[in-house]
Amino acid sequence: MSETTPNVAGPPPLLELKGVSKNFGAVQALLKVDFQVRVGEVMALVGDNGAGKSTLIKGVAGIYTFNEGEIYFDSRRVAINGPRDSAALGIEVVYQDLALADNLDVVANMFLGRERIEKLWRLDEVSMEQACVETLDSLSVTTLRSVRRAVAGLSGGQRQAIAVAKAVMWNSRLVILDEPTAALGVAQTRQVLDLVKRLAERGLAVVLISHNLHDVFEVADCITVLRLGQKVAEFVARQTTQQEIVHAITAGQVQHVPGMEVAS
Amino acid sequence: MSTVKDSVSTPENALLAGQATPSLGEYMRTYLVRVRSGDIGSLPIILGLIVIAVIFQSLNENFLSARNFVNLIVQMAGITTIAIGVVYVLLLGEIDLSIGYVSAVSAVIMTLLLREPGGWPWYLAIGVALLAAAGIGLVQGLIVTNFQLPSFVVTLAGLLVWSGAVLILIGGGGTVIIQDKVVIGIANYFLPSVWGWGVAVVAVAWFALSQAMQVHSRRQRGVSTRPLSIVTFQIIGVAILIIGVVYVANQDRGVPFVGIILLIFLAWFTFLATRTKFARYVYGVGGNKEAARRAGIAVERIRVEVFMISSIMAGMGGIVLGSRLRSVDTAAGGGNLLLNSIAAAVIGGTSLFGGSGRVASAFLGALVIATVENGMGLLGLSAGVKFVITGLVLLVAVLVDAISRRGRAQSGIG
Ligand SMILES: Nc1ncnc2c1ncn2[C@@H]1O[C@H](COP(=O)(O)OP(=O)(O)OP(=O)(O)O)[C@@H](O)[C@H]1O
Ligand SMILES: [Mg+2]
């Protein structure tokens, strides 16, 4: 089905989707998609608007459940029925629309929903602040002047960095980023891409959704192309070109004719 | 942690270096920058209070007397208590219009239970009254969250329902007198001066100790904190304030018991709104509901709990108001009690749009409103003039907030 099927020797995939489908009423958002990502690898997910990228990762994050297909994590078949299930597996998502609370400071945002408590119901601000600074430091996020500033006053790149740091702080094993550079300038895009590379170097599996092929080629090891809810190709980034990807995005061969198999 | 000087040039440590404890000079400089860019906190309201006090004093020399000062504390107590609940509701970006009559429902229930013969003991009467208030908050909160209705509409319905309930409960009599000594004492008992001083000592020591411990533990574990000199100034400031209040009150009848209740409310609800998980969730939901939901916070549960806090504080406020008048009548909870309570929170600096505000703003705002009312009462102005002036004060407070917010947005402090 793919134009180039990479035959990467190495570890088995950390996350593997087999034949997943999702429909919203009459809209077939995903149809029998296979998808995989390995530890230490950045897998880019590209495709035109409405191709089904966000739907695919929301299925993995537990926001939607797939109508059919199987999910394997660590070679074990798993069921993901809600955000807590995916968080328990070590899957963290940085959403297209960020999900930071503007009025809270950096530390509060990084720990939102998982605060540390000391005696007498008190927040353990000190240990949270230390862990926060440590995580940001380990990701070489150096442009923040204070972790006690409300995130409302931060630049887009800094906010994105915090959203990413939040995702990696929880011993996560798979980090999914939905268009993390869409709203950023050149320098800030640079920061975020560097951050993405470092995540893979740290031994995490990374899924990156982006419309910017230049960015994709800079950080991705493999590229999966979706078109009209189907997977049309998977490439090894080093062995392909931008033209080939653009061709797959716009004119890739779809295998299944929607409406034929799913008529039931 | 390395010293500031040598880590500034090495980017790897820039973040850590930025977290070091600032010197006094640096601290003051950042503070001034923040003030200049509009992040002014309680500054305008304190200046406003001084201006108001000077105006009233120049018009009537009794205004700054010890007697009037003690009156002021008693007068602001009811609104302050209700406004604390309002702050929590506003933090979520919600509104609760039922608080005026919920306060009256609590007061009426308590009063009826106390009625002789066969009256209940005061603690049971108050307990049941507050339980009823909590139940009202629970029901209203559940309706808002389960049916995804605007709190404005649900609590507007509540306003009508509970105003009717007050009339039904009081019945034909029109006025029910409170005779229980303890309940009357809430707003009418004044501490002997020795006790007043005792409270002052405990309050100052407790504040100083908690501040010192906080700074100490942060220092020891190497995270940035306020410079010691600033903490000392703050402690001295609070000490002067408390000692001053007790001293002036002791010139007259003494510290009102209800003043101690307010102090305890201030301490407890500030703790609840700053140092606990619940605080984080309230501010998080108020700032970005969707982010809070994705973070796994039980958003609807927090909302229901806040509506309960709002009703319970309204109930407490109603009891304080009833105690002050030594009776409850069919007019209870009406008039401009609701609007004054919401105005107090807003004048004090709590945003109507959620996510920003402090419990202390209920106190500052209520103090402003009570001061204006008290002063105009001394001058013998009509109710009409009072409303106009209170309305203008609210408008000025909101304008100052809007202008300072614009300054903040421009300088990116947020
Ligand atoms: N909640 C929903 N209800 C109905 N249809 C939906 C829903 N979410 C997505 N869709 C549809 O599913 C298809 C895939 O959408 P999806 O958001 O996954 O696209 P995408 O590849 O992320 O696009 P973009 O690049 O614009 O973000 C689209 O046709 C969209 O209209
Ligand atoms: Mg999308």
Side-chain angles (χ1 to χ4, degrees):
Chain A
M1 85 191 273
S2 41
E3 295 174 13
T4 317
T5 306
N7 195 4
V8 185
L14 178 67
L15 172 78
E16 186 169 16
L17 306 179
K18 288 189 181 164
V20 295
S21 300
K22 174 73 191 173
N23 64 293
F24 299 101
V27 180
Q28 191 71 44
L30 291 174
L31 186 59
K32 296 193 188 304
V33 173
D34 298 324
F35 179 80
Q36 57 182 39
V37 57
R38 288 181 184 76
V39 162
E41 174 189 87
V42 179
M43 168 63 89
L45 185 58
V46 300
D48 227 334
N49 292 116
K53 307 180 294 293
S54 295
T55 306
L56 186 75
I57 63 127
K58 282 179 180 163
V60 174
I63 294 177
Y64 303 146
T65 39
F66 294 123
N67 299 119
E68 63 169 338
E70 292 160 11
I71 307 174
Y72 292 85
F73 197 82
D74 252 350
S75 307
R76 271 185 310 116
R77 180 150 184 208
V78 294
I80 298 178
N81 294 316
R84 286 180 188 280
D85 291 348
S86 69
L89 290 172
I91 301 173
E92 292 286 334
V93 184
V94 178
Y95 291 95
Q96 210 162 351
D97 44 358
L98 275 184
L100 297 176
D102 272 354
N103 58 328
L104 296 181
D105 64 27
V106 176
V107 180
N109 264 294
M110 299 246 309
F111 278 87
L112 193 61
R114 315 189 221 197
E115 288 79 3
R116 290 185 191 163
I117 298 295
E118 54 183 22
K119 56 184 183 299
L120 296 171
W121 312 312
R122 271 182 310 176
L123 294 170
D124 192 349
E125 296 281 6
V126 175
S127 96
M128 289 196 284
E129 190 169 327
Q130 284 170 330
C132 170
V133 171
E134 248 164 53
T135 306
L136 289 171
D137 247 36
S138 74
L139 294 171
S140 304
V141 177
T142 54
T143 59
L144 280 178
R145 258 194 287 124
S146 164
V147 291
R148 283 298 175 187
R149 263 177 77 171
V151 299
L154 302 183
S155 76
Q158 290 171 324
R159 295 161 62 99
Q160 198 72 56
I162 288 159
V164 174
K166 178 181 179 178
V168 303
M169 196 163 55
W170 304 103
N171 292 323
S172 45
R173 305 181 58 199
L174 168 63
V175 174
I176 302 174
L177 305 111
D178 196 351
E179 303 197 29
T181 57
L184 302 184
V186 179
Q188 301 189 336
T189 298
R190 176 81 274 123
Q191 287 174 12
V192 172
L193 292 180
D194 286 345
L195 205 52
V196 169
K197 279 192 231 168
R198 278 197 290 273
L199 296 188
E201 283 161 15
R202 278 169 61 150
L204 278 71
V206 182
V207 176
L208 172 74
I209 298 180
S210 178
H211 285 288
N212 186 329
L213 292 185
H214 187 262
D215 292 355
V216 166
F217 271 91
E218 182 165 345
V219 296
D221 301 301
C222 296
I223 303 168
T224 295
V225 183
L226 289 185
R227 178 161 181 259
L228 303 174
Q230 299 184 40
K231 174 167 158 181
V232 293
E234 183 177 334
F235 300 97
V236 173
R238 253 190 300 264
Q239 299 166 5
T240 184
T241 60
Q242 291 211 16
Q243 284 89 330
E244 212 175 352
I245 302 284
V246 171
H247 183 261
I249 290 173
T250 54
Q253 205 71 53
V254 294
Q255 297 291 306
H256 311 274
V257 181
M260 298 301 272
E261 302 113 310
V262 292
S264 61
Chain B
M1 197 188 305
S2 51
T3 63
V4 178
K5 206 184 268 170
D6 61 31
S7 55
V8 165
S9 50
T10 48
E12 298 85 65
N13 285 335
L15 181 60
L16 277 173
Q19 309 298 312
T21 299
S23 71
L24 176 61
E26 283 164 358
Y27 190 87
M28 291 310 290
R29 231 170 296 135
T30 19
Y31 179 74
L32 284 179
V33 168
R34 279 169 53 188
V35 168
R36 229 174 292 141
S37 59
D39 188 8
I40 40 187
S42 317
L43 217 55
I45 195 165
I46 290 167
L47 291 178
L49 271 169
I50 294 175
V51 170
I52 292 171
V54 167
I55 292 175
F56 282 132
Q57 177 65 15
S58 66
L59 293 174
N60 184 324
E61 59 192 15
N62 285 327
F63 180 74
L64 284 181
S65 66
R67 176 165 190 79
N68 199 39
F69 181 75
V70 173
N71 285 344
L72 195 58
I73 296 178
V74 178
Q75 280 166 8
M76 71 179 277
I79 293 181
T80 310
T81 309
I82 301 175
I84 292 172
V86 175
V87 168
Y88 278 85
V89 173
L90 293 184
L91 280 176
L92 286 189
E94 307 274 354
I95 192 83
D96 186 346
L97 299 179
S98 70
I99 44 177
Y101 286 109
V102 170
S103 79
V105 167
S106 281
V108 173
I109 290 177
M110 173 194 71
T111 313
L112 292 180
L113 291 178
L114 289 173
R115 199 161 47 173
E116 298 295 343
W120 294 25
W122 62 270
Y123 46 91
L124 280 184
I126 290 181
V128 170
L130 293 181
L131 271 182
I136 291 173
L138 177 67
V139 169
Q140 293 183 159
L142 285 176
I143 294 175
V144 168
T145 53
N146 273 341
F147 299 100
Q148 296 296 325
L149 292 172
S151 52
F152 182 90
V153 180
V154 173
T155 57
L156 183 62
L159 181 154
L160 292 168
V161 169
W162 308 122
S163 71
V166 172
L167 295 181
I168 294 170
L169 284 172
I170 290 190
T175 306
V176 191
I177 308 287
I178 300 175
Q179 280 165 329
D180 186 276
K181 281 216 184 68
V182 178
V183 172
I184 290 178
I186 293 175
N188 293 292
Y189 177 73
F190 299 88
L191 269 58
S193 55
V194 184
W195 277 93
W197 286 119
V199 168
V201 169
V202 171
V204 171
W206 186 74
F207 180 76
L209 206 67
S210 70
Q211 295 293 308
M213 264 161 50
Q214 197 184 343
V215 170
H216 178 72
S217 96
R218 289 183 70 89
R219 276 196 169 210
Q220 214 167 32
R221 294 160 77 177
V223 276
S224 91
T225 180
R226 289 163 296 166
L228 217 55
S229 43
I230 289 285
V231 178
T232 315
F233 278 136
Q234 281 168 339
I235 292 174
I236 292 175
V238 167
I240 290 176
L241 188 71
I242 292 181
I243 290 171
V245 167
V246 171
Y247 175 78
V248 174
N250 278 347
Q251 302 304 302
D252 188 53
R253 285 153 288 173
V255 176
F257 177 66
V258 75
I260 309 294
I261 297 182
L262 289 186
L263 200 63
I264 293 170
F265 282 164
L266 177 64
W268 162 246
F269 284 101
T270 297
F271 172 78
L272 184 66
T274 52
R275 307 288 302 277
T276 64
K277 222 175 191 175
F278 179 73
R280 267 306 135 72
Y281 294 175
V282 169
Y283 281 86
V285 172
N288 186 343
K289 204 185 277 181
E290 187 53 34
R293 189 169 286 134
R294 288 183 194 168
I297 295 171
V299 173
E300 308 307 344
R301 194 183 151 161
I302 297 289
R303 293 172 75 200
V304 171
E305 285 169 357
V306 165
F307 278 106
M308 288 179 72
I309 290 180
S310 165
S311 287
I312 293 172
M313 292 317 287
M316 299 238 199
I319 292 169
V320 169
L321 290 170
S323 161
R324 188 175 145 225
L325 296 175
R326 298 165 193 257
S327 70
V328 178
D329 60 25
T330 46
N336 49 359
L337 180 62
L338 162 68
L339 297 179
N340 272 349
S341 306
I342 296 177
V346 175
I347 289 174
T350 293
S351 163
L352 280 167
F353 306 106
S356 132
R358 294 180 309 146
V359 170
S361 64
F363 284 74
L364 289 171
L367 184 58
V368 169
I369 288 180
T371 307
V372 170
E373 285 205 343
N374 172 294
M376 289 187 302
L378 280 186
L379 297 180
L381 296 177
S382 70
V385 178
K386 278 194 205 169
F387 288 171
V388 170
I389 305 258
T390 312
L392 291 179
V393 169
L394 174 63
L395 187 62
V396 169
V398 181
L399 280 176
V400 169
D401 182 53
I403 293 166
S404 78
R405 208 197 326 261
R406 201 176 305 156
R408 251 175 345 221
Q410 273 164 8
S411 65
I413 288 180

